[in-house]
Amino acid sequence: MLPTTSSRGRLPSRANPIFPQYLRRIIKWQQMDIEYTFWQMLHLCTSPKVVYQHTKYHKQTKNQWARDDPAFIVICILLLAVSAVAYSVAYDHSIGHTVFVVFSATCIHFLLAGAIVATFCWFVTNTYLREETSNSHVVEQRVEWLYAFDVHCNSFFPLFIVLYVIHFFVSPLLVAHGFVPLLLSNLIFMVAISYYHYLNFLGYDVLPFLEKTTFFLYPIGIVMILTPIMILSGFNPSRYMMNMYFSQLS
């Protein structure tokens, strides 16, 4: 992404021309690389550094860090919708409530929360974490907002596998009363959220013009501290989340 100013603290004011083109491609399935998207999803769960190595290749060939293919977002939304329907079928048979759960999972959990996280990371990286360049002839680089959202999407997919898919199959155990469900629920949330922030860190650590990216690992420490506190206090995140949408579990 080419800079429009040399000021370190000032954020670019011109909209990224890639974004309108990106949105147009959402409705054109034939232009999406579905096979590569599933390859990325698999490796985000097994070898995430390989995915970000390919991000470097993308920068070299397309001159941008962000994806120009919306397939990853589209597939994530579809998978979230399917999982939300599965939860609704299992725990609530109301069609209206099913629509609400699907909307919450796709638009609030994934898109809205992701946009907030991406905007925060975009602002922090561009304002505080970019390396100072003493050479005035060096092209200044900035984190693209769309790339920050890509990082969120990458980080979200393994979390989706753990907290939406695996959680669905073991939810009868996790929402039960007792110490074992309480312990397992907290551990599964701890693993999912910690891995999310680890992938978030990898997404920014791969950018050569950023420094002190270990900042994005700090939330993992917070999670590690809060988990035993929640266990000792008897807080079961699975029961809490399920009761938010399916109150008959109370």
Side-chain angles (χ1 to χ4, degrees):
M1 181 178 178
L2 297 178
T4 59
T5 177
S6 59
S7 174
R8 179 179 174 85
R10 186 182 305 168
L11 298 178
S13 59
R14 188 176 62 182
N16 191 336
I18 298 297
F19 197 66
Q21 178 184 356
Y22 185 89
L23 293 177
R24 286 194 296 268
R25 292 186 61 181
I26 290 180
I27 60 175
K28 297 180 180 180
W29 276 94
Q30 64 275 15
Q31 295 185 8
M32 297 185 191
D33 193 341
I34 305 299
E35 182 178 355
Y36 178 62
T37 297
F38 281 117
W39 178 90
Q40 287 182 309
M41 289 178 168
L42 173 63
H43 283 79
L44 284 169
C45 297
T46 58
S47 306
K49 291 184 179 180
V50 174
V51 176
Y52 283 111
Q53 187 64 39
H54 279 252
T55 300
K56 293 182 179 180
Y57 301 150
H58 182 80
K59 170 62 175 177
Q60 295 170 2
T61 57
K62 300 294 183 69
N63 195 33
Q64 67 178 59
W65 291 100
R67 293 187 182 100
D68 56 357
D69 184 356
F72 197 100
I73 294 178
V74 172
I75 292 176
C76 278
I77 291 175
L78 292 177
L79 292 175
L80 276 166
V82 171
S83 69
V85 170
Y87 273 96
S88 298
V89 170
Y91 293 100
D92 190 295
H93 302 292
S94 167
I95 295 178
H97 190 71
T98 299
V99 173
F100 168 74
V101 174
V102 171
F103 174 82
S104 297
T106 56
C107 297
I108 298 179
H109 298 179
F110 180 55
L111 295 177
L112 179 59
I116 293 173
V117 171
T119 301
F120 171 79
C121 295
W122 169 76
F123 174 79
V124 169
T125 51
N126 283 322
T127 306
Y128 301 108
L129 303 184
R130 287 188 300 117
E131 290 183 345
E132 293 281 4
T133 56
S134 57
N135 190 344
S136 60
H137 298 290
V138 174
V139 176
E140 186 185 47
Q141 298 188 74
R142 294 181 179 274
V143 176
E144 307 151 7
W145 187 90
L146 197 56
Y147 177 77
F149 192 76
D150 278 347
V151 172
H152 157 71
C153 294
N154 291 344
S155 304
F156 186 89
F157 180 73
L159 182 144
F160 161 77
I161 295 297
V162 175
L163 293 187
Y164 289 78
V165 179
I166 296 176
H167 186 278
F168 173 78
F169 292 104
V170 297
S171 58
L173 169 63
L174 297 179
V175 299
H177 294 281
F179 178 75
V180 173
L182 170 69
L183 176 65
L184 292 178
S185 177
N186 277 280
L187 290 179
I188 198 173
F189 270 79
M190 180 190 73
V191 170
I193 296 173
S194 296
Y195 196 66
Y196 174 93
H197 287 290
Y198 171 67
L199 292 187
N200 200 49
F201 157 73
L202 290 182
Y204 296 103
D205 190 57
V206 75
L207 302 181
F209 54 91
L210 295 183
E211 59 183 0
K212 300 178 182 178
T213 53
T214 51
F215 167 81
F216 295 106
L217 292 175
Y218 293 165
I220 297 178
I222 298 175
V223 172
M224 296 296 183
I225 294 173
L226 290 180
T227 297
I229 294 176
M230 290 192 294
I231 293 174
L232 293 175
S233 65
F235 178 77
N236 186 324
S238 295
R239 286 188 61 83
Y240 176 79
M241 295 301 297
M242 295 292 284
N243 281 325
M244 284 182 62
Y245 296 98
F246 311 106
S247 57
Q248 66 267 31
L249 294 176
S250 301

